[in-house]
Amino acid sequence: MTATVRNLVPPAPPAPALRGPSLRDRLKGPAVFTFVAVLALVAAPLLLEPFRLNLLAKYLCYAIVALGIGLAWGQGGMLTLGQGVFFGLGGYAMGMYLKLNDAGGDLPDFMVWSGVEKLPALWAPFANPVFAVVFAVAGPVLLALLLGALVFRQRVRGAYFAILTQALAAATVILLVGQQGLTGGTNGLTNFFELFGQDLAADETQRGLYLVVAAVLGVLYLLARQLVRSRFGRLLVAIRDGEDRVRFLGYNPATVKTVTFAVSAGMAGLAGALFVPVVGIISPALLGVVPSLELVVAVAVGGRFSLAGAVLGAVLMGYARTSFSEEFADGWLYLQGALFILVISLAPKGLFGLLAAARNLIAARTQSRSRTMDGDMAGGADGPLVEAPEARA
């Protein structure tokens, strides 16, 4: 009888072995990045005319800022509405160098128009290009470290932190507009002609600037991706999801958030320094509350929980603004606001979240269908359960 039961019960399937990510999964990310990098560095300069290539370089500068916002907001939960301040610091640092270089030892043109008779002491160090580039990154980082040390130690977060950064952007604009002889006032700094001895108006120079911007974006993306995957990145996500719990475990969330905020500020400053020679202007209108909000909207549309989504959102929103504003100059802002509301309400994870959800749904259906087919094949192979001859004997 025991032999009969043993032969009637089909053998249990072997337990699946515990395996790590497959080779295909490990190569998927680098393969996609390589494809996009080749497309940006090789195909775009060959296929796009100089004007369109210059616009793409402008969008990539915004994408660098968006990458920092995705790191601070998406991974760390810090809604920064004042990234334009750091973007402006980097932009003005590079603009000051370019103006002094074009002046050739004389006063910049806007100072002459404003009645300034002697070069301000604040401007003198920016005659050195190395100092200007270093300050474009170090200045925003130091300001973010100071602000973070003051704010995060007081456990200011959420909407309060967002309002504080927004107020900082508004105050910076007022300060820049009021210093006509020092900053160019409302007009800002413009009319740049040379960069390191190269004519900025030449197509070859603009093509080279595009390649530099694209390469910088690629390197920063890889560094940010590595940071997110490190232990520091996991701790940052844990602080986003439960700051009090992380504090109870013995970590100091203020330090982690301050460092992340400083890194995002440095990215914004570097983007501003690249933006000035690409576009040819830096003014208070480019670093106020509205531009900062537009960058946050772009990150939300692309997907704030994904670094690639933040970059994609900045490029798409920049292209959309250029395209739609040509036909709907007054209606673009309303369209942008409506798009932000729809994304936050219906797709909080943005476009990349929708793509991930669709991919998971397709994978689940494929796996379910595969299991059904395997079950049918197993049932057909087993056939009817028949007692073994030795059992009957």
Side-chain angles (χ1 to χ4, degrees):
M1 185 65 180
T2 304
T4 303
V5 175
R6 186 182 298 113
N7 285 275
L8 288 175
V9 178
L18 295 177
R19 291 188 248 175
S22 64
L23 180 62
R24 179 181 178 183
D25 294 334
R26 290 198 298 266
L27 294 179
K28 185 176 181 180
V32 173
F33 176 81
T34 303
F35 173 76
V36 174
V38 171
L39 191 65
L41 295 175
V42 179
L46 296 177
L47 299 178
L48 297 178
E49 58 184 11
F51 175 72
R52 297 297 175 184
L53 189 65
N54 181 261
L55 285 178
L56 182 56
K58 175 183 174 182
Y59 304 153
L60 295 184
C61 290
Y62 288 140
I64 295 176
V65 186
L67 182 64
I69 295 176
L71 188 63
W73 182 32
Q75 304 299 319
M78 295 171 284
L79 178 56
T80 60
L81 300 181
Q83 289 298 98
V85 175
F86 310 119
F87 180 83
L89 282 177
Y92 270 92
M94 179 58 68
M96 291 164 72
Y97 161 71
L98 294 177
K99 293 300 293 184
L100 292 174
N101 182 66
D102 292 339
D106 298 329
L107 289 177
D109 49 9
F110 75 91
M111 289 187 181
V112 176
W113 304 333
S114 303
V116 178
E117 298 179 355
K118 183 180 178 181
L119 184 69
L122 179 64
W123 275 67
F126 291 92
N128 188 330
V130 176
F131 178 86
V133 174
V134 171
F135 183 86
V137 179
V141 169
L142 293 176
L143 178 59
L145 287 175
L146 177 61
L147 182 63
L150 295 175
V151 171
F152 295 130
R153 289 183 182 275
Q154 302 299 324
R155 302 185 183 181
V156 176
R157 54 187 176 182
Y160 300 101
F161 176 74
I163 294 174
L164 181 63
T165 56
Q166 190 177 33
L168 178 64
T172 303
V173 170
I174 295 174
L175 177 63
L176 293 174
V177 171
Q179 301 296 323
Q180 174 69 37
L182 190 64
T183 62
T186 305
N187 297 326
L189 305 180
T190 185
N191 295 329
F192 308 120
F193 301 105
E194 288 187 0
L195 174 65
F196 304 136
Q198 303 295 321
D199 183 12
L200 281 176
D203 293 342
E204 294 79 8
T205 304
Q206 289 298 320
R207 187 177 294 109
L209 285 172
Y210 166 78
L211 293 176
V212 170
V213 173
V216 169
L217 175 60
V219 172
L220 290 179
Y221 172 78
L222 291 177
L223 293 177
R225 187 169 178 263
Q226 184 64 30
L227 180 64
V228 169
R229 293 190 171 192
S230 66
R231 181 180 180 181
F232 181 89
R234 293 194 294 270
L235 181 60
L236 182 63
V237 174
I239 292 174
R240 178 197 68 189
D241 296 337
E243 181 174 340
D244 293 332
R245 294 183 179 180
V246 174
R247 183 179 293 107
F248 293 152
L249 291 175
Y251 295 96
N252 187 359
T255 302
V256 178
K257 294 171 72 173
T258 301
V259 171
T260 306
F261 187 48
V263 171
S264 67
M267 291 183 180
L270 182 57
L274 295 172
F275 178 88
V276 170
V278 168
V279 179
I281 186 175
I282 183 68
S283 68
L286 295 172
L287 53 104
V289 175
V290 174
S292 300
L293 288 174
E294 289 178 346
L295 288 170
V296 172
V297 171
V299 173
V301 170
R304 69 185 180 98
F305 297 109
S306 169
L307 297 178
V311 172
L312 177 63
V315 175
L316 290 180
M317 292 298 287
Y319 175 77
R321 178 177 182 177
T322 301
S323 302
F324 286 103
S325 61
E326 294 176 355
E327 300 293 336
F328 310 101
D330 297 331
W332 163 243
L333 292 178
Y334 297 103
L335 178 61
Q336 188 180 40
L339 181 62
F340 177 69
I341 294 174
L342 287 176
V343 168
I344 294 299
S345 302
L346 303 179
K349 296 184 179 180
L351 296 178
F352 255 64
L354 292 177
L355 292 176
R359 184 173 63 249
N360 293 337
L361 180 61
I362 295 175
R365 289 186 176 181
T366 303
Q367 188 176 10
S368 177
R369 188 179 305 170
S370 175
R371 288 178 178 176
T372 302
M373 294 178 62
D374 291 343
D376 294 342
M377 293 177 62
D382 292 340
L385 294 176
V386 182
E387 293 181 358
E390 62 272 13
R392 290 196 302 268

